[in-house]
Amino acid sequence: MELFSFLRGRVQICASIWFWIVLLFMLQNSRGTASASTYLIGLGSYDITGPAADVNMMGYANSEQIASGVHFRLRARTFIVAEPQGNRVVFVNLDACMASQLVKMKVIERLKARYGNLYTENNVAISGIHTHAGPGGYLQYVVYIVTSLGFVRQSFDALVDGIEQCIIQAHENLRPGSVFVNKGQLLNTGVNRSPSAYLNNPASERNKYKYNVDTEMALLKFVDNEWGPVGSFNWFATHGTSMSRTNSLISGDNKGAAARFMEDWFEENNSGSGASPIKKEKIPRRVSNIIPSMRKKYDKLIDLAATFQSSGGRHATRLLSVVRRVRSDSRQADKPRFVSAFCQTNCGDVSPNVLGAFCTDTGLPCDFNQSTCNGKNELCYGRGPGYPDEFESTRIIGDRQFRKAVDLFNGASEQLNGKVDYRHTFKDFSKLEVTLPKQGGGNEVIKTCPAAMGFGFAAGTTDGPGAFDFRQGDNKGNAFWRLVRNVLKTPSKEQIDCQKPKPILLDTGEMKEPYDWAPSILPIQILRIGQLVILSVPGEFTTMAGRRLRDAVRTVLTSGGQFNNNIHVVIAGLTNTYSQYITTLEEYEVQRYEGASTLYGPHTLSAYIQQFQKLAESLLSGNQVDAGPQPPDLLDKQISLLTPVVVDGTPLGVKFGDVNTDIPANSTFKKGDMTTVTFWSACPRNDLMTEGTFALVEILKDKDTWIPVYDDDDFCLRFIWGRPWKLSTRSHATIEWRIPQSVVSGVYRIRHFGAAKSLLGSIQHFTGTSRAFVVV
């Protein structure tokens, strides 16, 4: 009996062990199934910097803001999420002021020629970050290209080419993977620049929210099954106006800076299975593994540097600029490059100039209601956190977004699961019927209006004031400017009544010469990835307008039973085309800048909400929607008055690339110092150096090998170009390097790459090199 009992006990123990082994195996399999990838994911990135000279910048509508160099390069970044045997969606984020209807048309034409109907206007969204420091001239409507002297083909082509290439990259990178979502609060990165308009919203509505700007950042984390994390996209509301209207260097502003910081952080810190926390004492670098260790005897470094004098200009190939750039594909491993995008959302009334708006003459705060100083708008400017240094303000606001994105990225655990789907339609917002509830009960049908801009539009904002005697909050206008307006187009009584209480300064929707001044047919689009829904809006929603739109769509989706309360609704602003601002009815009544720039009348927001609700309903039902009327293709009608580059020249005995002002001999610099060198150069429009660089910092490794460490895609390096006078054939390129705190001591030199145009029209590429110097 004892033996039998012993054996029976052993059998029970073994059975129990096997039970737990099997159960553990099943649980592991169950967890694996729950977190297994349900999508194919692919990411891509490509240079869209465009012409860095002579072209007016898009955003401030300041005709004197002409590009003359590069702060850091602009990029198009994209993700594709696809069901293995089903739908797919494409989202493209541009380091540009906004998307362009014409650009999207031509991109879709190219994609259809390459992939058939795989990528169409329905499932591709193209969005801008709203930097005000990128080249203009790429939109097709007159009012948006007046200050750029019409259409700029180089700006347009750079965008179309770059978007196409980044989508091709993402398509070719499609692999099984997962997408995770995370959200968090980010403070002190935006303030409401029209608080008086916001206060006109109902108190009961305002009381629902702690702040008068949205403080939530929503982030997607893309994880490849084999490689691990390969990218992130996030949406957060703050304007791309840290760089002022006097800046002339191409820049991605605070969001472009944040993207560069995060991509470099990941490349430097990624260990293959995750990412490391931020090193708070410095902006991260990605080249520390190729830089030699610190040498103790600086006198030997100085002696070594003295053996490398400036080389003088010499012929080069364009390829040299591409392969020498720090992030050259020739030095990229097989693993896909990490792509991080900082996208725009409902930023309409949100400024990054968080210190507030002050009068430049007195230093006192500007008038609260009209943002004026002694009745004048020209002296009222917002101040960024690095005031008076706008580059520092850009870095700080970018850094705050970057650090929050890293926190969300590292903590992202909610996986997106479910359908990939989309809906898209075109609607004519110049005469769209909108059903609204009446105060006494029942409904009424109203119509939106042809586009028009009010007097408050010309006053500008505290980020970039207007001119003359215009003021924000002007709901009357004045006789003189009405007379000027009538020379262009006198609005009809019907239009005046439709737009009330906006006094019409420019009746752009009814101005058709030499072609359309403003859009009327707008794209409305929803993208779905599991429990995430992206609302593609072709304009700038204010804070409260965005909240109302998100809430309306969320209500529709959660009432259908397919989504629970954990649904994530994100607004992607400035997407697919541009139609200026969208305010609430109450904000419209105040007629500050945003209300005066709400084109289609007081019920513009209601029209958007109605149309997005219909798309949301069609997502639930599975029904398709009508394509709607096609917008015009105005490419053949475009007019360009920008003078082409005729010829480049240098003084007798001087070659392109020769140093004009060199680094002083035997120079030693410390971290934080600025080094400057000037070269004889040529117009950057001769070659945009796409995926290349105009400027390069190299460090000496061993005794004769120079390693690229910084280029004009880096925040710390500035390429500044200019002529001594407007029509001169001669020009200079000044390269400024603010030495980062993270730099390694050693011997450095600065190089310039360029391209000159001869009288016969041929292009000659060149390079020049400064004297070597020591950083300690």
Side-chain angles (χ1 to χ4, degrees):
M1 287 292 293
E2 290 179 346
L3 179 60
F4 177 78
S5 298
F6 172 78
L7 292 174
R8 184 177 60 181
R10 292 294 300 269
V11 168
Q12 289 175 337
I13 292 171
C14 290
S16 177
I17 292 173
W18 276 108
F19 170 79
W20 287 110
I21 290 173
V22 171
L23 180 61
L24 181 62
F25 176 79
M26 291 175 64
L27 287 173
Q28 286 177 331
N29 276 355
S30 174
R31 284 198 297 269
T33 301
S35 62
S37 62
T38 55
Y39 304 129
L40 301 176
I41 61 172
L43 290 91
S45 174
Y46 203 80
D47 189 351
I48 58 168
T49 302
D54 301 331
V55 175
N56 182 247
M57 289 181 167
M58 183 65 205
Y60 288 115
N62 175 16
S63 60
E64 296 179 358
Q65 189 188 17
I66 305 298
S68 62
V70 178
H71 177 206
F72 59 92
R73 285 190 166 264
L74 310 181
R75 301 196 70 80
R77 298 172 171 94
T78 189
F79 70 75
I80 300 176
V81 177
E83 296 172 337
Q85 302 297 327
N87 291 333
R88 61 184 58 199
V89 293
V90 182
F91 188 88
V92 182
N93 186 65
L94 303 177
D95 287 346
C97 195
M98 67 281 290
S100 159
Q101 200 164 67
L102 187 60
V103 166
K104 182 172 180 180
M105 287 179 187
K106 300 309 171 184
V107 168
I108 297 301
E109 287 178 7
R110 293 191 184 185
L111 294 177
K112 285 185 177 181
R114 182 181 292 270
Y115 299 113
N117 289 323
L118 196 59
Y119 303 111
T120 69
E121 63 190 13
N122 298 326
N123 65 346
V124 175
I126 302 175
S127 181
I129 63 171
H130 211 35
T131 175
H132 286 41
Y138 61 90
L139 291 97
Q140 70 170 348
Y141 297 103
V142 173
V143 75
Y144 305 129
I145 57 176
V146 168
T147 57
S148 61
L149 300 179
F151 189 69
V152 180
R153 188 75 199 210
Q154 273 192 319
S155 295
F156 176 80
D157 286 344
L159 283 167
V160 174
D161 293 344
I163 295 168
E164 179 191 23
Q165 289 302 317
C166 76
I167 292 175
I168 291 172
Q169 281 184 25
H171 176 86
E172 294 179 347
N173 286 336
L174 276 172
R175 297 159 52 88
S178 303
V179 185
F180 298 85
V181 63
N182 200 6
K183 292 181 177 180
Q185 299 298 310
L186 174 59
L187 302 179
N188 200 26
T189 310
V191 294
N192 197 305
R193 69 186 187 188
S194 290
S196 59
Y198 181 88
L199 287 173
N200 205 43
N201 292 306
S204 59
E205 183 179 32
R206 289 186 280 109
N207 290 338
K208 297 177 184 178
Y209 307 99
K210 186 174 181 179
Y211 302 101
N212 63 1
V213 295
D214 281 342
T215 58
E216 185 176 80
M217 175 182 285
L219 178 138
L220 297 183
K221 177 179 181 178
F222 298 89
V223 181
D224 184 285
N225 279 5
E226 178 180 355
W227 294 113
V230 290
S232 69
F233 277 58
N234 72 71
W235 290 264
F236 178 78
T238 193
H239 247 78
T241 49
S242 293
M243 302 296 290
S244 75
R245 58 182 294 169
T246 61
N247 164 64
S248 65
L249 300 184
I250 289 175
S251 173
D253 210 276
N254 56 70
K255 286 189 176 292
R260 170 51 54 233
F261 296 161
M262 188 156 184
E263 289 175 346
D264 288 347
W265 161 80
F266 186 88
E267 192 168 336
E268 179 181 356
N269 291 286
N270 179 46
S271 60
S273 59
S276 305
I278 299 171
K279 298 177 181 179
K280 295 186 177 181
E281 73 276 6
K282 66 182 183 181
I283 295 177
R285 293 298 303 152
R286 69 252 168 265
V287 296
S288 58
N289 60 322
I290 63 171
I291 295 179
S293 59
M294 183 180 296
R295 302 170 186 176
K296 298 179 180 179
K297 298 181 179 179
Y298 294 122
D299 54 341
K300 290 186 176 180
L301 289 182
I302 294 172
D303 291 340
L304 182 60
T307 65
F308 295 95
Q309 298 299 309
S310 56
S311 64
R314 63 178 186 270
H315 292 292
T317 63
R318 188 192 187 284
L319 183 62
L320 183 63
S321 165
V322 175
V323 299
R324 293 301 291 173
R325 62 188 286 266
V326 173
R327 300 164 186 85
S328 173
D329 288 338
S330 64
R331 286 188 293 276
Q332 179 68 19
D334 291 337
K335 180 179 179 179
R337 185 184 298 278
F338 186 83
V339 177
S340 180
F342 286 68
C343 312
Q344 196 56 270
T345 178
N346 55 319
C347 68
D349 52 0
V350 187
S351 169
N353 296 310
V354 294
L355 298 186
F358 297 87
C359 298
T360 56
D361 56 344
T362 65
L364 298 175
C366 305
D367 174 78
F368 181 76
N369 289 316
Q370 295 187 317
S371 296
T372 56
C373 301
N374 296 317
K376 300 289 186 180
N377 68 75
E378 296 95 327
L379 301 178
C380 178
Y381 279 90
R383 294 179 180 176
Y387 175 83
D389 185 343
E390 62 188 293
F391 292 95
E392 181 64 5
S393 292
T394 301
R395 187 197 66 78
I396 292 171
I397 296 297
D399 187 68
R400 289 172 183 173
Q401 292 177 78
F402 150 63
R403 292 178 184 277
K404 186 62 185 180
V406 169
D407 289 342
L408 296 176
F409 180 85
N410 285 335
S413 60
E414 181 187 342
Q415 185 175 352
L416 297 184
N417 287 288
K419 294 181 180 179
V420 173
D421 209 349
Y422 51 87
R423 291 294 184 275
H424 180 285
T425 187
F426 287 111
K427 292 296 178 181
D428 188 344
F429 267 65
S430 69
K431 52 182 179 182
L432 192 62
E433 291 187 348
V434 184
T435 302
L436 298 175
K438 297 173 67 174
Q439 285 188 348
N443 295 319
E444 64 176 337
V445 177
I446 59 93
K447 283 188 176 182
T448 54
C449 324
M453 296 189 291
F455 280 69
F457 155 79
T461 72
T462 56
D463 292 334
F468 304 111
D469 56 348
F470 294 102
R471 300 187 308 277
Q472 294 195 67
D474 185 354
N475 57 11
K476 295 180 180 179
N478 66 59
F480 173 76
W481 289 111
R482 283 196 179 91
L483 182 64
V484 173
R485 171 200 68 190
N486 292 344
V487 172
L488 295 172
K489 175 70 174 67
T490 303
S492 64
K493 183 179 184 304
E494 181 183 13
Q495 172 75 323
I496 291 173
D497 291 340
C498 186
Q499 291 280 351
K500 282 183 179 179
K502 178 200 294 178
I504 298 174
L505 175 64
L506 288 173
D507 190 15
T508 53
E510 298 182 320
M511 297 167 70
K512 305 294 183 181
E513 298 296 333
Y515 46 88
D516 294 1
W517 278 54
S520 58
I521 299 172
L522 302 180
I524 308 295
Q525 182 187 49
I526 290 183
L527 305 180
R528 176 188 175 183
I529 309 170
Q531 64 269 34
L532 172 78
V533 172
I534 300 173
L535 310 181
S536 301
V537 301
E540 304 175 60
F541 277 62
T542 60
T543 299
M544 195 64 84
R547 289 167 174 169
R548 291 185 188 178
L549 176 62
R550 286 195 303 264
D551 288 346
V553 172
R554 185 181 291 109
T555 298
V556 171
L557 295 176
T558 53
S559 65
Q562 294 184 27
F563 296 88
N564 55 32
N565 291 328
N566 199 35
I567 186 174
H568 305 283
V569 180
V570 170
I571 290 175
L574 305 119
T575 300
N576 295 328
T577 192
Y578 184 62
S579 59
Q580 295 180 241
Y581 285 76
I582 302 93
T583 64
T584 66
L585 174 62
E586 296 82 359
E587 293 165 348
Y588 185 91
E589 292 172 343
V590 176
Q591 281 297 293
R592 278 184 64 92
Y593 176 82
E594 295 82 12
S597 303
T598 296
L599 296 183
Y600 308 103
H603 302 293
T604 300
L605 174 60
S606 296
Y608 273 102
I609 290 175
Q610 175 180 281
Q611 296 310 311
F612 273 104
Q613 285 176 320
K614 290 180 178 179
L615 291 192
E617 290 167 356
S618 72
L619 269 182
L620 294 178
S621 67
N623 297 328
Q624 296 303 308
V625 296
D626 181 62
Q630 285 292 312
D633 180 342
L634 303 176
L635 182 58
D636 292 339
K637 295 185 177 182
Q638 296 301 313
I639 298 170
S640 179
L641 302 178
L642 180 65
T643 304
V645 180
V646 178
V647 66
D648 294 287
T650 59
L652 190 64
V654 174
K655 302 187 298 295
F656 291 109
D658 278 357
V659 174
N660 182 47
T661 304
D662 207 347
I663 306 290
N666 301 318
S667 291
T668 300
F669 297 95
K670 300 188 298 295
K671 298 171 184 179
D673 289 347
M674 177 80 82
T675 62
T676 303
V677 59
T678 300
F679 298 88
W680 286 98
S681 190
C683 184
R685 283 197 285 155
N686 295 325
D687 189 323
L688 306 183
M689 297 298 178
T690 301
E691 289 293 332
T693 184
F694 291 108
L696 187 68
V697 175
E698 298 175 323
I699 187 171
L700 183 64
K701 183 178 181 180
D702 301 324
K703 293 185 177 181
D704 55 3
T705 303
W706 291 96
I707 304 296
V709 287
Y710 298 91
D711 59 22
D712 65 15
D713 205 14
D714 281 293
F715 194 89
C716 63
L717 193 66
R718 302 174 195 169
F719 165 68
I720 304 167
W721 178 87
R723 301 182 181 96
W725 62 88
K726 187 173 183 179
L727 299 179
S728 175
T729 61
R730 301 175 183 177
S731 62
H732 293 109
T734 298
I735 298 174
E736 296 179 346
W737 182 37
R738 176 70 69 183
I739 302 174
Q741 294 299 319
S742 57
V743 79
V744 173
S745 297
V747 176
Y748 289 83
R749 69 180 186 182
I750 295 175
R751 296 183 69 178
H752 168 46
F753 299 91
K757 188 174 184 179
S758 71
L759 272 174
L760 298 177
S762 62
I763 301 297
Q764 168 195 322
H765 288 83
F766 61 86
T767 184
T769 307
S770 77
R771 177 184 287 122
F773 55 94
V774 174
V775 174
V776 297

